[in-house]
Amino acid sequence: MIVGYRSTIITLSRPKLGNGKTISSNAIFQRSCRVRCSHSTTSSMNGFEDARDRIRESFGKLELSPSSYDTAWVAMVPSKHSLNEPCFPQCLDWIIENQREDGSWGLNPTHPLLLKDSLSSTLACLLALTKWRVGDEQIKRGVGFIETYGWAVDNKDQISPLGFEVIFSSMIKSAEKLDLNLPLNLHLVNLVNCKKDSTIKRNVEYMGEGVGELCDWKEIIKLHQRQNGSLFDSPATTAAALIYHQHDKKCYEYLNSILKQPKNWVPTMYPTKIHSLLCLVDTLQNLGVHRHFESEIKKALDEIYRLWQQKNEGIFSNVTHCAMAFRLLRMSYYDVSSDELAEFVDEEHFFTTSGKYTSHVEILELHKASQLAIDHEKDDILDKINNWTRTFMEQKLLNNGFIDRMSKKEVELALRKFYTTSHLAENRRYIKSYEENNFKILKAAYRSPNINNKGLLAFSIHDFELCQAQHREELQQLKRWFEDYRLDQLGLAERYIHASYLFGVTVIPEPELSDARLMYAKYVMLLTIVDDHFESFASKDECLNIIELVERWDDYASVGYKSEKVKVFFSVFYKSIEELATIAEIKQGRSVKNHLINLWLELMKLMLMERVEWCSGKTIPSIEEYLYVTSITFCAKLIPLSTQYFLGIKISKDLLESDEICGLWNCSGRVMRILNDLQDSKREQKEVSINLVTLLMKSMSEEEAIMKIKEILEMNRRELLKMVLVQKKGSQLPQLCKDIFWRTSKWAHFTYSQTDGYRISEEMKNHVDEVFYKPLNH
């Protein structure tokens, strides 16, 4: 069984795009753009270009939204010259000018699940106004908001800011000292105080403003003050240090550095550059539009890598930043070591010595990073992190009401192994779930205006639909090719077009690589036909006849045909390879036909050997021989190597026969073959067929065999990822050429997570429909 070929065969109703002449493959994407925009005018494409330019500019606008909560704490800092005057009166002005219509303060626009954030921000603003005896009208309206929405204090469906129980409870007591009467339900206040007592047993330095005078601020400043003068890059905590400790020059300088800019508010985190760059790059990749901003992303990641090498505290003092930087850099081919994550290997140590209150986002990002192990022996750091973060997310985050419903969805998605997902489906899901008013939350909710905006969403939708239009255009070309070559005569149903093209578009998604994608899909269909003939459709003599015809390619007419079946098959096969060899010659500037033919010849001979020698029981292969041969007969060598000629990169035959390429297709093939064997072992045992499970069961139990096979699978998966991501010294193989092998194995993981290779899951059917046909607004 060839992975992914039959397992994604689906019949769908396809929109008709017309029967015009086949256009140049290099023009397909541009035509898709024109087709998409024809309903308006060319101004639509101009708008697309303008939107792209605005997104490019956003790399230089790395700012977070105003934080009413943090601004209020800064407003409460007394002057160095008089305890009866504010040090930052401009923050008081901002609070007075930015009260919302309902009397609250907080993220603007807000969200229905952010009532706790609004309550916390509103109470902090009320404390600031009351302390300095200003804004009587604003105080009155703010108290009214708390009276109306105080019920949300203990509501489990509402999203809680970090340290909410500790900080909100402390602010209630501060309000009492200021004679600020809060119309809160006493029972709710007691519940919050109970939760405060259990929460405060953890590290509370990050939420020090919620502990106030009880904190040893001198010790906190000694242990946790950053080079920029802040405590945890938090304006609120830094302000609290000045309120309760009063004498620290670096804390003053930090807050002044924020307010020196032309604004009178502060964000909930500062500096914001590292955070914003990481989130922007991550978002563009998740939306699937990163290819439009390659130079900007490279510049951003180069900067992050420079800071990583310098062990910059902006990265390494923040768990989320450290994990995100590691993941984005490693997946972008930078040399980063998992040793930098060693302090996170032990769960108990992580929670007791992290120095700040831990959010589920940190656990989530650590888990994502932990999936990037590339060395079976040395990446035990990532393995240990993976084990405890997965257990923690499954047992505590999902089952114990620790997080809200929105966050649970994030955790469920993160628990899926990244190499078992389809990037096309993930891009669509991310676009569908993307909100221009989306937010993140620390001690206060915030947005990144350069990430969360309507322009980026509209651009992503437009780009996705342009790609869909191109996919449908290419499918029409494949259908015409299928009909012109009469592949149905060889037993191949028309529905195979979708299965083959889905494989191609997953491995080669770049819009400009249409020729390579179409070649890939055609090879998948041809290989399906060859596999059918050599597995059962043709007799041994007919198979030998086919091999001889291929061996004497330029003189095939002198060979003759053993049957009409062979004649029909070879006629189609010959025309197809000649056509594709001609395209490859144009792209390479030399003839590569002999190499293409030899790859097919090797595959056919080994397929026949499997049938005649192994399946008949004449010969029992060793494990190594089995994996080597079946990697080739499973297309791991034929299709990826042939594809290299169509990628627009000049590549020599010597390079395609190098040890590096051999290692790539060998590991990729082993991964695909093992995935198939694990799925098919029960069926093949009944049919007395050879696979890896049955071979190992000659010396161990079935359970032990399956465990051993999974170890071999994981070892080869990691080795493949290492060969793709780690830049080998002296390697002349272009990165895209390596990526083809990883993407091929990733597709196999996705396919076998959806189906057993014979029955089609509803999820896979929906996947095809969503990738090619269903509009995003459906």
Side-chain angles (χ1 to χ4, degrees), residues 63-77 88 90-92 94-95 98 106-107 121 233-239 251-252 254-272 444-447:
E63 195 172 79
L64 301 185
S65 57
S67 168
S68 304
Y69 172 82
D70 289 81
T71 302
W73 277 98
V74 174
M76 285 188 268
V77 175
F88 303 103
Q90 66 269 47
C91 291
L92 276 175
W94 186 90
I95 290 171
N98 286 274
L107 188 64
S121 296
D233 291 338
S234 167
T237 309
T238 307
C251 286
Y252 275 114
Y254 167 73
L255 295 178
N256 273 314
S257 70
I258 307 176
L259 292 165
K260 276 181 182 178
Q261 301 174 47
K263 60 188 180 187
N264 50 9
W265 53 268
V266 299
T268 197
M269 175 200 309
Y270 187 86
T272 62
Y446 67 94
R447 291 190 182 96

Side-chain angles (χ1 to χ4, degrees), residues 461-724:
I461 292 173
H462 194 55
D463 180 73
F464 188 88
E465 291 178 345
L466 287 176
C467 288
Q468 277 190 319
Q470 180 178 6
H471 295 158
R472 292 193 292 266
E473 183 77 50
E474 291 177 2
L475 277 165
Q476 287 298 103
Q477 289 196 56
L478 270 182
K479 183 182 178 184
R480 288 192 288 271
W481 178 81
F482 182 95
E483 293 169 348
D484 289 344
Y485 282 77
R486 303 182 69 182
L487 297 189
D488 57 324
Q489 286 189 333
L490 298 172
L492 195 68
E494 187 178 321
R495 61 182 182 272
Y496 277 80
I497 296 171
H498 278 91
S500 304
Y501 183 70
L502 182 60
F503 203 160
V505 79
T506 303
V507 175
I508 311 170
E510 291 83 359
E512 69 276 13
L513 296 180
S514 179
D515 281 338
R517 187 162 43 253
L518 289 169
M519 167 265 156
Y520 203 107
K522 290 174 182 178
Y523 256 50
V524 170
M525 283 190 269
L526 290 173
L527 187 56
T528 304
I529 295 169
V530 170
D531 183 55
D532 284 341
H533 278 72
F534 277 76
E535 190 175 79
S536 58
F537 287 4
S539 66
K540 177 184 174 182
D541 286 344
E542 287 172 326
C543 291
L544 288 169
N545 188 198
I546 291 171
I547 290 172
E548 188 178 3
L549 287 165
V550 175
E551 285 177 326
R552 297 174 62 180
W553 190 267
D554 294 326
D555 188 33
Y556 73 87
S558 64
V559 176
Y561 305 105
K562 291 285 185 182
S563 66
E564 184 65 20
K565 184 194 301 181
V566 172
K567 182 178 180 181
V568 172
F569 164 81
F570 188 75
S571 174
V572 170
F573 183 77
Y574 181 87
K575 286 192 296 182
S576 300
I577 301 304
E578 285 287 330
E579 173 206 334
L580 293 169
T582 299
I583 297 172
E585 182 173 351
I586 294 170
K587 290 188 172 293
Q588 293 298 314
R590 62 185 178 87
S591 176
V592 298
K593 182 169 68 174
N594 286 340
H595 189 220
L596 295 176
I597 293 170
N598 287 334
L599 287 170
W600 277 105
L601 193 58
E602 178 186 36
L603 176 130
M604 290 176 177
K605 287 180 177 180
L606 290 177
M607 278 184 169
L608 184 59
M609 186 199 73
E610 277 188 282
R611 175 178 169 180
V612 174
E613 299 293 327
W614 293 0
C615 293
S616 66
K618 290 182 179 179
T619 305
I620 297 177
S622 67
I623 300 299
E624 279 303 310
E625 183 185 9
Y626 173 83
L627 287 172
Y628 177 81
V629 170
T630 56
S631 292
I632 295 174
T633 58
F634 216 66
C635 83
K637 184 177 182 182
L638 168 72
I639 296 184
L641 262 63
S642 300
T643 302
Q644 308 295 329
Y645 290 130
F646 295 81
L647 297 176
I649 301 168
K650 296 285 176 44
I651 190 162
S652 68
K653 184 172 180 287
D654 288 342
L655 192 53
L656 287 182
E657 293 177 347
S658 65
D659 290 342
E660 186 174 11
I661 277 278
C662 182
L664 285 163
W665 69 253
N666 198 7
C667 269
S668 175
R670 285 171 178 240
V671 168
M672 292 191 291
R673 168 51 73 179
I674 292 170
L675 286 168
N676 178 83
D677 284 6
L678 285 171
Q679 286 281 14
D680 289 353
S681 61
K682 294 291 186 184
R683 178 186 64 84
E684 292 184 349
Q685 283 180 50
K686 292 178 181 178
E687 297 178 0
V688 200
S689 299
I690 286 182
N691 74 13
L692 195 53
V693 178
T694 59
L695 285 175
L696 285 172
M697 282 176 62
K698 296 183 182 302
S699 58
M700 61 186 73
S701 68
E702 182 179 0
E703 184 179 348
E704 290 172 328
I706 290 175
M707 188 179 299
K708 177 68 174 177
I709 289 171
K710 288 181 178 180
E711 290 177 5
I712 297 173
L713 172 64
E714 182 63 10
M715 181 177 66
N716 280 277
R717 186 194 65 76
R718 292 188 184 195
E719 183 62 25
L720 176 62
L721 188 59
K722 181 179 180 180
M723 286 190 284
V724 171

Side-chain angles (χ1 to χ4, degrees), residues 122-297:
T122 299
L123 183 48
C125 289
L126 291 177
L127 291 178
L129 296 175
T130 303
K131 178 175 182 176
W132 304 118
R133 297 184 177 86
V134 295
D136 290 345
E137 181 59 31
Q138 284 79 14
I139 292 173
K140 181 179 177 181
R141 292 173 59 210
V143 169
F145 174 83
I146 289 177
E147 181 177 19
T148 303
Y149 293 100
W151 56 266
V153 166
D154 193 48
N155 187 280
K156 293 182 179 179
D157 290 331
Q158 287 289 319
I159 298 173
S160 290
L162 295 183
F164 176 77
E165 291 84 4
V166 172
I167 295 170
F168 195 76
S169 177
S170 176
M171 288 195 294
I172 291 173
K173 291 185 177 180
S174 296
E176 292 172 356
K177 292 179 182 178
L178 292 170
D179 293 326
L180 175 62
N181 295 318
L182 299 175
L184 281 170
N185 183 295
L186 185 60
H187 175 66
L188 289 177
V189 172
N190 289 334
L191 283 175
V192 173
N193 281 328
C194 289
K195 290 186 176 180
K196 171 188 175 182
D197 292 338
S198 63
T199 305
I200 207 167
K201 292 175 184 177
R202 297 187 185 192
N203 292 308
V204 294
E205 291 93 337
Y206 175 61
M207 46 187 171
E209 64 267 34
V211 185
E213 295 173 346
L214 298 177
C215 269
D216 185 346
W217 287 101
K218 185 176 181 180
E219 185 68 11
I220 290 177
I221 289 172
K222 178 181 177 182
L223 293 176
H224 299 294
Q225 190 168 48
R226 304 274 167 87
Q227 292 177 7
N228 58 27
S230 76
L231 297 177
F232 310 107
D233 291 338
S234 167
T237 309
T238 307
L242 291 174
I243 293 169
Y244 297 109
H245 183 59
Q246 296 181 7
H247 305 292
D248 190 86
K249 181 181 178 182
K250 292 182 71 176
C251 286
Y252 275 114
E253 289 175 349
Y254 167 73
L255 295 178
N256 273 314
S257 70
I258 307 176
L259 292 165
K260 276 181 182 178
Q261 301 174 47
K263 60 188 180 187
N264 50 9
W265 53 268
V266 299
T268 197
M269 175 200 309
Y270 187 86
T272 62
K273 182 178 181 180
I274 291 173
H275 179 80
S276 296
L277 281 178
L278 290 170
C279 290
L280 180 55
V281 171
D282 197 38
T283 299
L284 293 175
Q285 291 181 352
N286 288 332
L287 290 169
V289 297
H290 52 289
R291 68 182 184 282
H292 294 288
F293 312 101
E294 288 181 354
S295 61
E296 290 81 9
I297 288 175

Side-chain angles (χ1 to χ4, degrees), residues 312-408:
N312 180 274
E313 69 174 0
I315 292 177
F316 290 99
S317 63
N318 185 298
V319 178
T320 300
H321 292 173
C322 187
M324 283 187 74
F326 175 81
R327 172 170 59 86
L328 292 175
L329 289 172
R330 176 162 280 192
M331 288 305 292
S332 298
Y333 320 113
Y334 292 83
D335 181 17
V336 288
S337 171
S338 58
D339 291 345
E340 302 296 349
L341 302 179
E343 64 179 298
F344 310 130
V345 298
D346 182 77
E347 179 181 356
E348 184 177 353
H349 177 79
F350 175 79
F351 282 108
T352 56
T353 63
S354 61
K356 60 175 279 189
Y357 188 89
T358 305
S359 78
H360 77 278
V361 176
E362 294 173 354
I363 310 294
L364 218 113
E365 287 299 337
L366 275 176
H367 186 72
K368 291 179 184 177
S370 73
Q371 295 186 45
L372 300 183
I374 56 175
D375 194 301
H376 195 60
E377 299 295 332
K378 297 179 181 178
D379 260 342
D380 62 320
I381 289 172
L382 296 183
D383 289 336
K384 290 176 181 177
I385 293 173
N386 185 273
N387 289 337
W388 79 255
T389 54
R390 172 171 289 276
T391 301
F392 185 87
M393 288 193 292
E394 289 174 342
Q395 295 181 357
K396 296 185 179 179
L397 294 187
L398 292 182
N399 296 321
N400 290 342
F402 190 79
I403 54 175
D404 55 90
R405 284 178 294 182
M406 286 178 63
S407 300
K408 279 186 177 181

